[in-house]
Amino acid sequence: MQVSFNYNFSTTSGVRMKRTIYAAAVVLGMTAATSAIPTLRAQAGADAQKAVDAAYAKFRTLKEGKNADYIPALAKVDPNLFGIALVTADGKIITAGDVQTEVSIQSISKVFTMAQVIEEQGLDAIAKRIGVDATGARFNSIIAVEGVRTVVGAGAPEMNPLVNPGAISATSMVRGSSADEVWKKIVGFHNDAAGRQLSVLQDVYKSESDTNQRNQAIGALMLAYGYIKDNWQQAVDLYTRQCSIGVNAKDLGVMAATLAFGGKNPVTGKQVMDAAKVPGVLAVMATAGLYDDSGKWLYATGLPAKSGVGGGIIAVSPGKFGIAIVSPPLDDAGNSVRAQRAITEISNALGGNPYARAKAGS
Ligand code: DON
């Protein structure tokens, strides 16, 4: 008799319970096993809540880092905002702190626009036009684009859709006959992943539109080198709008969980993207999600993740959970300080690292 569990954390107690229940199912039949599943889920939920609460308590008073201020509206966001949301396979949302206040999604949107292009045009579309390689440079580096041109040739797919040049190019690849049509697709994909209708934070959109000359330069350069086929101005504007979408920690947690569970939103049950395409998205997050600190992050957690200068980070433990934290103060690389620390603690407490070898015999 086969019993399948939604809960799959590899904590010692979880593994023991799984074995116990499997044996019980064999002896007593499906009825007994089925009635044990809620108990198992409740235990998993309790473990996760404990880990989330502990990290919240530990990092609540941490004062390191500073809000981004190169987009003036971001400097005005309350630096004390701190919310955690972990979402399990059965759509349970485990929270601590403020999970209602919205911040701008910023670069986390790059993941979902990349995912949308991959969903629409296949895994090769991004890999062949933009590339899936880490640049090792800052997220808005122009030298990285020039480096590719000098070493390999203009238009070579040697970057990725999570740094600005690749992200603006990915936005330009979303198909549609008007800016409005493309925008509806972009925001629609974000809505499906979050499980609710999201809106643009107009103050952030205006503030970034007024100050995004560097991204405009990148857009023009990407047209010149053939990554963007036409209308770089539209690509930069839509990119700026997608970065200004308002999200709270809960939204981001559900979006992370949609990627953790094969592209299916575990809260709404909607299949947002083809499960076979999700590993490609996660691979780019693993190599480039925290910019030039992606290697350090992966070393500490093993989790594909993505940060945004609004203060959010999402992280994915495939098949186990999606987690998000919102906390605006950033480190020098542009990643939320508290979010990095708290996700690391929570994931390690729950056995979230996909590279961690299961204990012998488990
Ligand atoms: O393009 C920008 O500068 C912002 N809209 C997004 C940057 C960002 O979030 C980088 N994140 N760590």
Side-chain angles (χ1 to χ4, degrees), residues 282-296:
L282 297 180
V284 183
M285 291 169 73
T287 50
L290 268 70
Y291 303 108
D292 30 330
D293 275 353
S294 298
K296 276 186 219 141

Side-chain angles (χ1 to χ4, degrees), residues 70-71 105-108 110 139-140 164 208 215 239 243 291 306-310 333-335:
Y70 75 98
I71 299 169
I105 189 169
Q106 294 298 339
S107 283
I108 299 170
K110 292 167 177 170
F139 66 86
N140 56 3
N164 289 14
E208 185 162 351
N215 283 341
Y239 164 80
C243 287
Y291 303 108
K306 184 73 201 83
S307 61
V309 290
N335 300 314

Side-chain angles (χ1 to χ4, degrees), residues 204-224:
V204 177
Y205 174 52
K206 180 169 183 337
S207 181
E208 185 162 351
S209 298
D210 288 346
T211 54
N212 69 351
Q213 289 75 21
R214 188 181 180 97
N215 283 341
Q216 293 180 45
I218 289 173
L221 200 58
M222 296 310 271
L223 178 81

Side-chain angles (χ1 to χ4, degrees), residues 299-360:
Y299 194 79
T301 66
L303 301 181
K306 184 73 201 83
S307 61
V309 290
I313 295 187
I314 62 169
V316 174
S317 180
K320 293 187 176 173
F321 59 82
I323 185 168
I325 294 187
V326 170
S327 170
L330 311 178
D331 64 14
D332 289 344
N335 300 314
S336 166
V337 177
R338 279 199 290 210
Q340 290 177 81
R341 303 250 182 102
I343 292 173
T344 304
E345 293 247 334
I346 294 166
S347 177
N348 288 345
L350 297 175
N353 186 336
Y355 297 112
R357 202 160 65 94
K359 286 199 176 74

